[in-house]
Amino acid sequence: MSKPQRRRSSIVLSPFVAPAKNDTVTFNTKPVAAADKHAVHEVVAGCVKCTSEDCAAFVKEMNGDEANEHKLAVVTTWKEGRLFSVAQIKEVLETLTSVKTRVAIVEMLGPRATDAKHGSQIVDMFKYQAEKETCKAIFFARGKQNDRAATSG
């Protein structure tokens, strides 16, 4: 269990309560790193690399309907049993206009990246820092997973 952090505060919560010594308020907080928040543990054992033909069919099926729900359902179907290169993930993302859908697809396909060290290509596609941090954390976690797999066997 983490120790409670002490923070200074000048807020008096109630005029009927005696102020605490030195006006300190205790919060029980647990810091969460972005990488831990987005660490997705997917089983990728036995998965095969997605071929360029499969990727083209994947993008074509995804563009069959404009609804974002359809696109996410197609990604959910196509990701099973496959690993994707960063270039293939980027190809998929370039067909989308919605930033939220792009981030959702990175969260789905990022843990299946075969070359996570090139994840900066996808991070650079986003404009705002929040989306960039989310993508960085996903590809960093996948890179660590790839490194562990390479050193263990």
Side-chain angles (χ1 to χ4, degrees):
M1 179 172 234
S2 63
K3 290 179 90 176
Q5 296 179 354
R6 298 183 67 77
R7 298 182 183 168
R8 300 228 4 115
S9 173
S10 60
I11 299 172
V12 176
L13 300 176
S14 170
F16 305 109
V17 176
K21 186 177 181 181
N22 296 328
D23 291 323
T24 56
V25 178
T26 303
F27 296 96
N28 286 327
T29 60
K30 181 180 177 187
V32 177
D36 291 338
K37 179 180 174 188
H38 295 287
V40 176
H41 302 288
E42 288 199 31
V43 177
V44 293
C47 292
V48 296
K49 291 182 180 180
C50 184
T51 63
S52 57
E53 294 83 19
D54 282 348
C55 186
F58 173 32
V59 171
K60 183 177 179 181
E61 184 178 340
M62 207 172 83
N63 291 329
D65 190 356
E66 290 296 317
N68 290 334
E69 294 81 15
H70 167 76
K71 294 178 187 299
L72 293 174
V74 170
V75 172
T76 302
T77 302
W78 274 85
K79 79 175 189 170
E80 295 304 319
R82 292 184 178 88
L83 299 173
F84 298 88
S85 70
V86 168
Q88 290 171 329
I89 296 171
K90 186 175 180 181
E91 183 180 340
V92 169
L93 295 178
E94 287 173 341
T95 65
L96 303 170
T97 56
S98 169
V99 175
K100 288 183 179 180
T101 305
R102 282 183 173 186
V103 171
I105 290 176
V106 169
E107 289 174 341
M108 294 167 79
L109 297 181
R112 294 175 171 269
T114 57
D115 53 349
K117 63 184 174 213
H118 299 295
S120 62
Q121 296 174 12
I122 292 177
V123 171
D124 294 339
M125 293 178 73
F126 293 94
K127 181 178 177 181
Y128 297 106
Q129 195 64 29
E131 289 90 13
K132 288 183 181 224
E133 289 297 322
T134 299
C135 292
K136 280 182 192 176
I138 290 168
F139 287 110
F140 179 74
R142 177 62 179 158
K144 282 176 49 176
Q145 184 181 20
N146 285 345
D147 292 343
R148 279 194 304 268
T151 58
S152 67

